Amino acid sequence: MTRTVYVNGDYLPETEAKVSIFDRGFLMADGVYEVTSVLEGKLIDFDGHAKRLARSLNELEMTCPIPEEELLAMHRELVARNGIDQGMIYLQVTRGNPGDRSFVFPDASLPGTIVAFTQNIPNLADAPAAKTGFRVITIPDLRWSRVDIKTVQLLYPSMGKMAAKKAGVDDSWFTDEAGRVTEGTSNNAYIVKGNRIITRALGNDILHGITRAAVLRFAAEAQYEIEERPFTPEEAQGADEAFSTAASIFVMPVVEVDGKPVGTGKPGPVAVRLREIYLDEMRKAAI
Ligand code: PLP
């Protein structure tokens, strides 16, 4: 089916959507993005994604080409036009098309480019992977030092996914120079020890996950202790459980790290419970 996509104010068939070769998103990876999940045709945590988009844009001295109310209306319009029940909406804003290539930012008055499209994923909530869990390897975190900004520079995370694929597993977790886990290629990373959930604290070295914020809130409400500190792959291997979170996977159990099972080697009860709570609560709050 040909999707209807959004480009700079227009809804177009995907085959007719175009962006200039001079767009700074294309030439310089000078752009930011958000991915919002859709369940039962409704947006999950849209407000969180809109706020993080505003923060990413602000950190890069960019402005959003359209106001936030229009962002919401546009997301809903894409869901409706494409008949999405479960899936994702990808939104990208770049610094626009200055008509040539230059390292210098164009004048701030140049309008940015804004595009969005849907991804139809009928079994998003019921993903088979959530029943078996992810197996991960660890690789050095070679990304730039401001990964808290959600830029479209995804070459290294993409290489991390390929390293995982070549190793026959599901994902890579990155490690910093001290050998401690930062996060996954496209998700935040956690371990569980008894009643404690351990995850790296927010900083410039991880993306401030919208799912992370919600899951930690629900976990605290469910009387788990939260400890925000780094952990090593070895500590993960010796933990009771591990999991990852992202808008695309919600709460995903992690059952193996660098070839060694975590806990029983099966999805653990805390991850399974947090996934259930997250899906229940977010469905209720979906808009
Ligand atoms: N960390 C990285 C590097 C990501 O790319 C993502 C999502 O794409 C996340 C964490 C999770 O963020 P969120 O929960 O907002 O999807």
Side-chain angles (χ1 to χ4, degrees):
M1 200 188 88
T2 307
R3 278 175 287 194
T4 297
V5 303
Y6 175 90
V7 184
N8 296 326
D10 294 324
Y11 295 91
L12 300 167
E14 63 184 52
T15 45
E16 287 170 30
K18 290 190 175 59
V19 173
S20 166
I21 63 160
F22 298 117
D23 196 278
R24 286 188 57 95
F26 178 64
L27 293 180
M28 303 273 177
D30 187 358
V32 299
Y33 75 107
E34 281 298 327
V35 176
T36 305
S37 52
V38 178
L39 292 176
E40 285 90 44
K42 290 189 172 167
L43 302 165
I44 301 298
D45 220 337
F46 179 79
D47 194 45
H49 290 283
K51 286 209 172 79
R52 187 174 59 191
L53 176 72
R55 178 181 183 274
S56 294
L57 288 167
N58 190 48
E59 291 295 314
L60 296 175
E61 298 171 37
M62 289 166 68
T63 48
C64 191
I66 62 174
E68 192 179 318
E69 310 81 75
E70 279 180 44
L71 276 182
L72 174 57
M74 180 262 274
H75 275 63
R76 286 176 159 159
E77 187 68 26
L78 281 177
V79 168
R81 288 193 188 218
N82 292 285
I84 303 296
D85 178 55
Q86 292 190 40
M88 329 274 292
I89 309 221
Y90 177 88
L91 167 73
Q92 178 168 329
V93 178
T94 79
R95 206 180 300 272
N97 162 26
D100 203 348
R101 179 174 181 270
S102 167
F103 281 78
V104 177
F105 288 178
D107 193 272
S109 61
L110 182 80
T113 300
I114 177 164
V115 306
F117 56 83
T118 53
Q119 293 180 301
N120 186 31
I121 310 170
N123 61 357
L124 186 65
D126 225 5
K131 300 198 175 61
T132 50
F134 269 10
R135 294 185 298 141
V136 306
I137 53 170
T138 59
I139 61 171
D141 195 340
L142 302 184
R143 300 172 301 168
W144 77 324
S145 315
R146 287 303 308 275
V147 297
D148 58 308
I149 309 173
K150 197 165 168 67
T151 75
V152 297
Q153 305 170 53
L154 295 178
L155 180 56
Y156 192 68
S158 192
M159 289 165 73
K161 259 293 183 202
M162 289 311 295
K165 198 171 171 202
K166 283 182 194 143
V169 300
D170 303 288
D171 199 17
S172 293
W173 276 4
F174 298 134
T175 51
D176 64 16
E177 282 176 358
R180 304 168 311 183
V181 173
T182 52
E183 60 185 335
T185 56
S186 53
N187 48 71
N188 293 115
Y190 310 72
I191 57 173
V192 181
K193 288 178 152 186
N195 193 46
R196 243 175 327 135
I197 294 168
I198 300 161
T199 192
R200 198 175 179 101
L202 296 181
N204 292 351
D205 45 9
I206 62 167
L207 186 75
H208 302 188
I210 301 305
T211 320
R212 177 189 185 280
V215 167
L216 291 185
R217 194 173 70 241
F218 298 140
E221 283 166 15
Q223 309 301 323
Y224 292 105
E225 276 173 57
I226 315 291
E227 198 178 334
E228 292 182 271
R229 62 152 175 95
F231 59 85
T232 61
E234 294 72 31
E235 191 179 3
Q237 289 165 340
D240 298 325
E241 293 183 37
F243 62 92
S244 284
T245 64
S248 54
I249 53 172
F250 309 122
V251 178
M252 179 61 68
V254 168
V255 298
E256 183 186 297
V257 174
D258 288 334
K260 298 223 173 88
V262 178
T264 61
K266 300 236 161 59
V270 176
V272 170
R273 180 160 176 234
L274 286 176
R275 183 181 174 91
E276 277 168 16
I277 297 175
Y278 178 82
L279 284 170
D280 279 356
E281 293 297 324
M282 296 320 273
R283 275 191 171 110
K284 280 190 231 156
I287 59 171

